[in-house]
Amino acid sequence: MAVYILGIESSCDDTSAAVIRDGVLLSNVTASQQVHRDYGGVVPELASRAHQQNVVPVVHQALQRAGISADQLSAVAFTRGPGLMGSLLVGVNFAKGFARALGIPLIDVNHLQGHVMAHFIRESDDDHSAPSLPFLCLLVSGGNSQIVRVDAYNKMQILGQTIDDAAGEAIDKCSKVMGLGYPGGPIIDRLARQGNPHAYVFAQPHIPGLDYSFSGLKTSFLYSLRDWVQQDPLFVEHHKADLAASLEFTIVDILMRKLRRAVRETGINEVAVAGGVSANTGLREAFYDHQKRYKWKVYIPRFSYTTDNAAMIAITGYYKYLDRDFCSIDVPAYSKVVL
């Protein structure tokens, strides 16, 4: 009998639902929230209200596009955390009620584990593009920058992580200060393609081991920008492409330097990237460059699987379903970053 998993994702400002049959994706529907652009960042209360409005129609569309009815579902998988507590509660409580009403198992999924598992989403029965185990995964998003060793879907070890700001957070903050808008990632990415990555030099951290730090880079960027704007109020307007290119170059260099070290120390040359920042063109190009230069075998997700999406929750839920790794109806959501 086929295994159908409904995945629900609501950790931040995207409400998403997906259906997977025996590991193959049938549908992946996401409702994004535009209201936060006016505030330069996600407003938790507005996000949770939007999730309440979106979760039912998004789940309905996911089932409809998958061509199945709710009573065909084998289990409901949901993002338990980490994330914004108000947003998580909407998805968690909907999943609990939906699973209880259908009399099917409930599966809790770690959001960060889901990003890594996005590489195992299959779009057809003959899709065999998943990484071989073990592999290293650079997990980079607005709130996380981690190097993860993956030995199995349920055996992941964080080798290094940010001790302060994440890469995506630094990009968003620098974009906001330049007056370019939110979210900053796509804006910086687009401008960087038009600029000179060596036009400006910003401070780079010297953190021991495999941990990251981006607060120093952010501070260096902000103070340098302040000085330049004092001399020329139109500095950003005239040099925004070069600023974006130099910022992106520095962040990618920081990320890849620690990742190279992780490959040397572990001897693992199967290397993946995941999370929202993995959509960045410069980072993707760096991965392809390292594949040629260092003979890595790299895995880069489709753009639709880089941002928060329910397909990654559903595929994680599918593997947990095969192991009968279910959760009880009373499990709480959690906001703390864990893996």
Side-chain angles (χ1 to χ4, degrees), residues 76 93-106 328-330:
V76 178
N93 288 324
F94 178 87
K96 289 179 178 180
F98 202 57
R100 173 63 66 88
L102 294 172
I104 57 178
L106 194 62
S328 64
I329 196 74
D330 59 349

Side-chain angles (χ1 to χ4, degrees), residues 76 93 116 119 148 183 197 221 227 247-248 274 309-310 331:
V76 178
N93 288 324
V116 176
H119 288 281
V148 182
F221 183 91
D227 293 340
L247 175 65
E248 178 190 89
N309 65 91
V331 295

Side-chain angles (χ1 to χ4, degrees), residues 223-244:
Y223 276 101
S224 296
L225 188 64
R226 182 197 63 181
D227 293 340
W228 293 325
V229 170
Q230 285 179 347
Q231 299 173 32
D232 177 10
L234 296 177
F235 181 84
V236 172
E237 182 62 30
H238 294 156
H239 303 279
K240 58 186 178 182
D242 286 343
L243 286 169

Side-chain angles (χ1 to χ4, degrees), residues 32-60:
S32 297
Q33 302 173 10
Q34 304 300 319
V35 65
H36 307 288
R37 294 180 184 272
D38 296 334
Y39 298 93
V42 177
V43 181
E45 178 62 24
L46 295 179
S48 58
R49 290 182 183 181
H51 283 303
Q52 289 179 321
Q53 296 172 344
N54 293 334
V55 64
V56 172
V58 163
V59 169
H60 175 74

Side-chain angles (χ1 to χ4, degrees), residues 15-19 27-31 57-59 61-63 65 309-311:
T15 313
S16 186
V19 176
S27 66
N28 187 31
V29 179
T30 301
V58 163
V59 169
Q61 288 183 43
L63 292 172
R65 293 183 186 180
N309 65 91

